[in-house]
Amino acid sequence: MSSGPTSTTAAIAARRRQAEQKIATVEKAIGQLRRERGRLAVRAVAERAGVSATFLCENTAARRLVKNAVADSRSRHDRHGQAEHEHVEATWRERALNVEAGLTRTQKEALARRQWIGELMGQIRDFDQMVPGESVQFLITENTTLKRRVQQLTGEHRKLQERLEGARSNLRFADRRIADLEAQSLEQDR
C-alpha cells in the first residue's frame, strides 16, 4: 500500500511540472505573437505554444494569461484604429477648413473689387462728360483691366467652390469608409 500514495504523489508532481512547462511555453508564444504583431486569440496561442485549446481553457493560469493578452491586444488595436481615424479625419477637416477660408477671402476680395468697379464706373461717367478724350481712353483701359480681374476672381471663386465641395464629399466618403472598417474590425474581434 505504500507504493500507491508515492506513485500518486509522483504522478501529481509530474503533471504539475508538465503544466508549468506548458504555461511557460504559452507565455513565450504570447510574447512571440506580440513581437510579430500576430493575432492574439486562443487558437493562435494554442497553435504557437503547441498545446491544446482545451488546456488553455481549463488551466486557470493559462486561461488568465491568454485572457489578459487578448484584452491588451484588443485595447492596443482599438487605440491604434482610433488614432488612425482621428488622423484621417483631422486631415480632411483641415483641408475643408483651408478651402473654406480661401473661398471666404476670395468672396470678400470679389465684393471689394465689384464695389471699386462700381465707383470707377461712376467716375468714368463723370470724366466722360468733363475730361478730354485721352483721359477717357486711359479710364476705359483701366475699366477693361478691372473687368478681366473680376472675371479671373469669379473663376477662382468657382474653382474654390468646387474644391470645397470635393473636400466635403471626400470627408463624407472617408467617414463612411472608417465606419465600415470599424464595423468589420468589431466583427472580426468576435
Side-chain angles (χ1 to χ4, degrees), residues 35-126:
R35 282 190 298 281
E36 296 169 7
R37 301 212 184 273
R39 176 128 167 89
L40 280 174
V42 174
R43 290 188 191 272
V45 173
E47 186 176 305
R48 180 64 64 99
V51 298
S52 68
T54 306
F55 172 77
L56 293 179
C57 293
E58 289 180 356
N59 186 288
T60 307
R63 184 175 55 238
R64 185 173 39 252
L65 281 172
V66 172
K67 181 180 176 184
N68 291 341
V70 168
D72 182 48
S73 173
R74 282 187 183 152
S75 66
R76 194 176 322 124
H77 177 72
D78 291 346
R79 285 190 305 268
H80 177 70
Q82 182 66 25
E84 188 173 322
H85 168 72
E86 288 172 359
H87 174 71
V88 168
E89 187 173 316
T91 301
W92 283 108
R93 186 172 289 124
E94 183 178 334
R95 288 179 186 170
L97 290 174
N98 288 341
V99 170
E100 285 181 2
L103 181 62
T104 302
R105 279 192 309 273
T106 303
Q107 287 173 338
K108 286 179 182 178
E109 188 175 337
L111 179 62
R113 298 293 181 179
R114 285 185 183 137
Q115 289 173 342
W116 189 33
I117 288 171
E119 291 172 11
L120 290 176
M121 292 294 282
Q123 290 175 4
I124 287 174
R125 279 188 222 107
D126 293 343

Side-chain angles (χ1 to χ4, degrees), residues 103 106-107 109-111 113-114 117 146-162:
L103 181 62
T106 303
Q107 287 173 338
E109 188 175 337
L111 179 62
R113 298 293 181 179
R114 285 185 183 137
I117 288 171
L146 289 173
K147 285 181 180 179
R148 283 190 199 125
R149 181 67 178 142
V150 166
Q151 288 174 346
Q152 180 185 5
L153 288 173
T154 303
E156 289 175 8
H157 177 266
R158 193 176 317 111
K159 286 179 186 175
L160 285 172
Q161 194 77 359
E162 291 169 359

